[in-house]
Structures are given as structure tokens and as C-alpha cells.
Amino acid sequence: MTEPEPSYLRDTRAGYDAIAVDYDERFGSALAADPLGRAMLGTFAEYVQADGAGPVVEIGSGPGRVTAHLHKLGLDISGIDLSPAMVGLARRTFPELRFEEGSMTDLDLPDGGLAGAVAWYSIIHIVPEQLPLVFAQFHRVLAPGGHLLVAFQVGDEPLHFDEAFGHPVCLDFRRLSPDRITELLSQAGFQVTAQLLREPYGYELSSAVPQAHILARKPQQP
């Protein structure tokens, strides 16, 4: 019997369905104002290409702008997102790229098929007890030697929103500990290769919390 979908996933999907267009209008230029984020994405792309390239997936691709940026850097990349509205928006904005609906808790991808995976501020919507499952999924779909990049806000307290951009929602944004994430990645079988911890800048100043980016790799041999 199929397990019922957790309520937090339903709430996250419904929330982003409601705010997809407003979210993209508000944060569509965020990457252009994030030189350190672009640097980490560029490093990730170089690592993947140095190992012979291969397919890459952004997991939690939202409106598709990070996927498109990595495509411009030369990666064979597609996107997966929980929200049908976000997937539709990404397809309209970047018709040359492939975007599909899906959940990082149950990736419909073959074992060992990816050269790289990116979760750019998307693991923040996963309840803490499900993060080991999510990282196990990431490990499963990556080929030996495959690379992973995750990004998230740093902190201990989640943010809850009942309203966003004038729409009623039930959205939780979970701030995370870099030490805890690296520990969980190691437990899932990854080797952490780089970490960036930076202070907020630009539009992030209103949240006043640091930002973390972690690069990890699935070992060549088990």
C-alpha cells in the first residue's frame, strides 16, 4: 500500500502553487546579485565537467533560473519541483530545458544515473526527521564520483508563513546547521569537499542570517 503523502509536502506544494508568479518576480534577479552563490555554482559545474560531464538535475528547481544558469555554464541539466505551478512557469520561461514534477523524498530517477545534483535552497522545506531519507535519495541517484551542491539559510528556528505576497499559505522555511548537514551527508555516504559560510547581503539583510553552501561527492568506490 502506498504511504499517504505527508501534510508538509502538500502544504509546500499548495503554497508555491499560490505564489509562483509573485515569487519569481520578487526573486528572479537574486542570482545576479549573488556573486558567491554564482562562484559555488561555477565550481560545481567545473567539477562535473572535469569528471566527464553527464546528466545533472536541480532538485527543487522552482522557476528554473538556477537550472538555466547551470545550462549556460555547459551542463546537461533538467529540473524537478514539487509545485506544478513552478514547473509550468519554468517551462514557459525556459522552453529549451526540461522540467518535471517530483519530490526529493521519492525521486523518480534511476540509480546511479546522474553526474550531479543541486538542491538550491530547497531542503529548507523538508522536516528534519526526513533529511536522512532525502540525502539517501540524492546518494542513490548519483553515479560514483557524482557531485552534490546544497544551499540553505543558517540557524535553528524555522520561519512559518500563513500569508505570502497576499496569498494565504502554510509554508515553513527551516534554517539549518552546517555542522548537522555535513554530518547527515557523511552518514548518507558523501564526502564533503567544500563549504562556504557567508553573511547575508542585499535583499537577504532583512532575514539577518548567514547563508551556507556545501559541495559533496559520492565516492568512486563504496
Side-chain angles (χ1 to χ4, degrees):
M1 180 181 296
T2 302
E3 291 290 330
E5 184 178 54
S7 60
Y8 79 91
L9 290 179
R10 294 196 300 272
D11 289 341
T12 301
R13 180 187 296 108
Y16 276 104
D17 280 348
I19 67 172
V21 173
D22 300 288
Y23 178 95
D24 189 43
E25 289 178 353
R26 173 67 178 85
F27 298 112
S29 61
L31 193 59
D34 182 7
L36 290 173
R38 294 197 308 275
M40 291 297 280
L41 289 164
T43 300
F44 168 81
E46 287 191 37
Y47 280 172
V48 172
Q49 290 163 333
D51 286 336
V56 176
V57 172
E58 185 188 3
I59 302 168
S61 50
R65 297 191 181 274
V66 170
T67 306
H69 178 76
L70 287 168
H71 176 69
K72 289 180 180 178
L73 294 180
L75 295 187
D76 173 17
I77 189 168
S78 60
I80 293 173
D81 198 85
L82 187 65
S83 161
M86 283 291 194
V87 170
L89 177 59
R91 287 172 174 171
R92 292 191 298 273
T93 307
F94 305 106
E96 72 279 14
L97 299 177
R98 187 174 75 256
F99 296 93
E100 304 291 342
E101 293 177 35
S103 171
M104 67 177 68
T105 62
D106 187 20
L107 291 170
D108 187 17
L109 295 169
D111 294 357
L114 298 181
V118 178
W120 196 254
Y121 292 93
S122 54
I123 63 171
I124 62 174
H125 297 297
I126 300 298
V127 294
E129 59 269 24
Q130 289 291 301
L131 283 173
L133 167 66
V134 166
F135 292 153
Q137 287 283 304
F138 293 172
H139 190 273
R140 177 184 66 79
V141 300
L142 282 169
H147 298 275
L148 173 68
L149 173 61
V150 298
F152 51 91
Q153 289 185 334
V154 176
D156 300 314
E157 297 298 326
L159 293 179
H160 177 79
F161 292 91
D162 293 314
E163 182 273 338
F165 301 106
H167 301 279
V169 298
C170 182
L171 281 172
D172 289 313
F173 295 78
R174 293 173 176 85
R175 294 164 173 172
L176 303 167
S177 160
D179 288 343
R180 178 59 175 159
I181 295 304
T182 58
E183 178 185 15
L184 291 175
L185 288 171
S186 296
Q187 290 174 0
F190 286 99
Q191 297 173 340
V192 173
T193 54
Q195 298 182 60
L196 170 67
L197 178 65
R198 66 165 176 81
E199 294 303 310
Y201 47 52
Y203 72 90
E204 300 164 347
L205 290 174
S206 60
S207 65
V209 296
Q211 313 288 307
H213 305 72
I214 297 176
L215 277 164
R217 192 180 193 193
K218 181 175 179 176
Q220 289 282 2
Q221 299 295 330

